[in-house]
Amino acid sequence: MKQWLDLNIFLGITAFDWLHAAIAGVVSYVVLVVLLRFLTGRLDRLAANTRAAFIDRLAAIFRHTSQFLLLMAAVLIAAAFLDLPEKWANRVQHLWFLLIGVQIAIWINRGVTLWTHERLSGTGATAHNPVFTTVMAWLMRVLLWSVLLLAVLANMGVNITAFVASLGVGGVAVALAVQNILSDLFASLSIGLDKPFEVGDFIVFGDIAGTVERIGLKTTRIRALSGEEIVCSNTELLKNTIHNYKRMAERRIQFNFRVTYQTTPEQLRRIPRIVKNAVLEAGNTRFDRAHFKGFGDSALEFEVVYFVTDPGYNLYMDIQQSINLALISELDKLGVAFGVPVRTLQFLDSPAGSEDAGQGQVWRQGLRTGSGRPSLSTAR
């Protein structure tokens, strides 16, 4: 037995040393697994007692430890019990750096994922812009793995200065080739930082009006009033003047109406008070003014301005309908008729031999108070 254990089976190392290394590797793996479970368990209990979100996230990050990397770490610990040649010893050192670097990167990547999920799942006051969160998470991951790659290459003896310089030149070439995509990407980042609109906002730009459904890295998707989905480039979208109606604190309304010239001065004085009462009784409104504006071609004109204290469009239409019905009812009680367009036709010459030869005729067609029949007047 002793002769067999003293037998050199690989790299000039005896079977007895290989056995010791195997036992050390198994014990190391078990110890690492037990320590990891003990650490995460302690963090879970501490988070439950203190209700600290940071500790809970830390426990979630440690639970994301790679079992394969733990196994590889146990193998490297076992290799320390072997009298390896210098070439293999150097490789073991490089592998230690690689394992530790990859595991740290996995932990950081998990932390970025938890941060992203927390920001995207927030509602109300805790909600965050999804575009900014997505872009930042993507940039952090790219930076993380790039730094890890460069660190590993530097540890292995690669001259990363020339490598980084070549990447810079290549990056310029790639940027020129995909400048439209990069333009949309930076426009998406601008939307995330400046927040001219968010998902759920009703916006209008150019001849497009609809609700924002998704803000992506390259395009923004808008659900139009007619039902179709509009996909717009982020760069082109930011070139337009955007009207965001969801962020209205209140809606200013201006409308006009006209009454006939047969309306008396006393009736004209009472009309603004009638309008004010109609606006206030509609609810969710703030009255501003109602004035006898001027003299139209065929009617007397009034201008009304009021505010709806809620920006909802359907609510505004309900209020306007209520005001219109109230005005029709109250003005009818007052004996005031709404003004309508009137057209006057004047014939300067009459046919020879006619009964009214030499006399001009004037036809006035339109709607008068209580009558829609045309009237004929003769110019004398």
Side-chain angles (χ1 to χ4, degrees), residues 55-112:
I55 299 177
D56 186 55
R57 292 192 212 102
L58 193 61
I61 290 173
F62 281 119
R63 275 195 296 269
H64 211 67
T65 303
S66 172
Q67 295 296 320
F68 175 75
L69 293 180
L70 286 181
L71 179 60
M72 294 303 298
V75 171
L76 294 180
I77 292 174
F81 287 83
L82 300 174
D83 188 15
L84 296 173
E86 184 177 355
K87 179 179 68 173
W88 288 96
N90 292 333
R91 291 179 180 178
V92 169
Q93 292 178 0
H94 294 321
L95 287 175
W96 268 118
F97 185 86
L98 177 62
L99 287 180
I100 295 174
V102 170
Q103 185 55 67
I104 292 176
I106 291 175
W107 284 336
I108 296 176
N109 184 72
R110 181 59 178 172
V112 172

Side-chain angles (χ1 to χ4, degrees), residues 257-263 267 271 299-300 331-332 334-340 367-370:
F257 67 92
R258 308 192 305 169
V259 298
T260 62
Y261 269 99
Q262 285 75 27
T263 307
Q267 290 174 325
I271 288 176
L300 304 174
L331 291 184
D332 183 66
L334 188 61
V336 176
F338 288 97
V340 295
L367 296 178
R368 291 187 175 182
T369 305

Side-chain angles (χ1 to χ4, degrees), residues 110-367:
R110 181 59 178 172
V112 172
T113 302
L114 294 175
W115 174 79
T116 304
H117 177 73
E118 180 181 349
R119 289 176 65 91
L120 294 181
S121 61
T123 57
T126 61
H128 295 84
N129 188 281
V131 175
F132 176 76
T133 301
T134 303
V135 172
M136 289 302 298
W138 182 77
L139 290 177
M140 284 189 287
R141 287 191 174 99
V142 170
L143 179 63
L144 169 65
W145 293 108
S146 299
V147 170
L148 175 63
L149 176 62
L150 294 176
V152 170
L153 292 176
N155 182 261
M156 296 176 63
V158 178
N159 184 7
I160 64 172
T161 303
F163 181 70
V164 171
S166 62
L167 285 179
V169 174
V172 172
V174 172
L176 292 176
V178 296
Q179 56 182 333
N180 291 333
I181 298 177
L182 291 178
S183 176
D184 288 327
L185 177 61
F186 283 107
S188 173
L189 185 60
S190 175
I191 293 173
L193 293 173
D194 193 45
K195 299 181 181 179
F197 55 84
E198 296 178 340
V199 174
D201 290 0
F202 184 86
I203 63 173
V204 175
F205 62 96
D207 57 349
I208 296 175
T211 303
V212 179
E213 287 192 337
R214 181 177 180 274
I215 305 173
L217 295 179
K218 188 178 188 305
T219 61
T220 295
R221 288 169 172 79
I222 301 170
R223 183 66 61 181
L225 292 175
S226 52
E228 75 274 15
E229 183 182 66
I230 300 174
V231 181
C232 181
S233 166
N234 290 330
T235 302
E236 295 300 324
L237 179 59
L238 291 183
K239 290 181 180 179
N240 293 275
T241 300
I242 301 173
H243 303 265
N244 192 334
Y245 285 92
K246 188 176 180 180
R247 297 183 181 178
M248 294 173 58
E250 56 184 13
R251 187 184 293 269
R252 182 182 185 273
I253 308 299
Q254 174 184 325
F255 72 94
N256 301 323
F257 67 92
R258 308 192 305 169
V259 298
T260 62
Y261 269 99
Q262 285 75 27
T263 307
T264 65
E266 181 59 29
Q267 290 174 325
L268 292 175
R269 293 189 186 95
R270 295 177 60 183
I271 288 176
R273 187 165 58 252
I274 292 174
V275 174
K276 180 179 181 179
N277 292 334
V279 170
L280 295 178
E281 290 175 0
N284 294 312
T285 56
R286 179 165 56 85
F287 179 77
D288 186 36
R289 60 185 176 85
H291 291 101
F292 173 27
K293 180 181 178 180
F295 302 89
D297 293 336
S298 56
L300 304 174
E301 298 180 347
F302 279 82
E303 182 178 83
V304 181
V305 176
Y306 70 96
F307 293 87
V308 179
T309 56
D310 188 291
Y313 186 79
N314 288 341
L315 176 62
Y316 149 64
M317 290 302 298
D318 292 339
I319 291 174
Q320 187 62 54
Q321 175 180 261
S322 174
I323 293 173
N324 292 341
L325 293 174
L327 288 180
I328 291 175
S329 176
E330 295 300 322
L331 291 184
D332 183 66
K333 293 178 183 179
L334 188 61
V336 176
F338 288 97
V340 295
V342 175
R343 182 174 59 188
T344 301
L345 302 178
Q346 182 175 8
F347 299 92
L348 299 179
D349 297 321
S350 298
S354 67
E355 189 175 316
D356 291 323
Q359 297 178 351
Q361 293 183 344
V362 177
W363 287 85
R364 182 175 291 106
Q365 182 177 3
L367 296 178

